[in-house]
């Protein structure tokens, strides 16, 4: 889940994105229950710096996911 607040990711540098998103995302009890000991596919529409996807991978692993497979529909190589 995402907490309210924080800055829009598109306005931040790569380092600022990692710091910003890391404090906004968390796994609630339902997520923890559903991912523990399972393989998870994580889909993102656009990967720019990878900060959001990296933060989600970390959270899912801490919640007990065995493997996290990442799929991006597009990437923004200019950022």
């Amino acid at each position: 889940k995402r907490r309210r607040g924080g800055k829009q990711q598109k306005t931040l540098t790569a380092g600022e994105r990692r710091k910003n998103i890391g404090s906004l995302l968390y796994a609630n009890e339902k997520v923890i229950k559903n991912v523990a000991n399972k393989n998870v596919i994580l889909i993102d529409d656009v990967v720019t710096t990878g900060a959001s996807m990296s933060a989600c991978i970390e959270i899912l692993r801490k919640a007990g996911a065995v493997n996290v497979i990442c799929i991006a529909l597009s990437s923004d190589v200019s950022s």
Side-chain angles (χ1 to χ4, degrees):
K1 284 195 103 162
R2 184 179 174 130
R3 292 181 176 96
R4 294 181 189 253
K7 298 177 182 177
Q8 283 191 345
Q9 292 288 91
K10 66 182 180 180
T11 65
L12 305 175
T13 66
E16 291 170 332
R17 286 173 186 233
R18 282 187 292 278
K19 186 176 179 181
N20 183 57
I21 201 68
S23 65
L24 295 176
L25 299 177
Y26 68 97
N28 64 22
E29 293 298 320
K30 184 176 180 181
V31 169
I32 293 169
K33 179 181 173 184
N34 287 319
V35 302
N37 301 311
K38 294 186 180 163
N39 296 312
V40 176
I41 299 174
L42 179 61
I43 301 172
D44 197 354
D45 57 350
V46 178
V47 172
T48 306
T49 63
S52 298
M53 193 170 277
S54 294
C56 289
I57 293 166
E58 183 178 341
I59 290 165
L60 290 166
R61 285 186 177 155
K62 286 181 180 177
V66 176
N67 293 300
V68 180
I69 300 164
C70 302
I71 299 171
L73 303 179
S74 181
S75 66
D76 182 358
V77 293
S78 65
S79 296

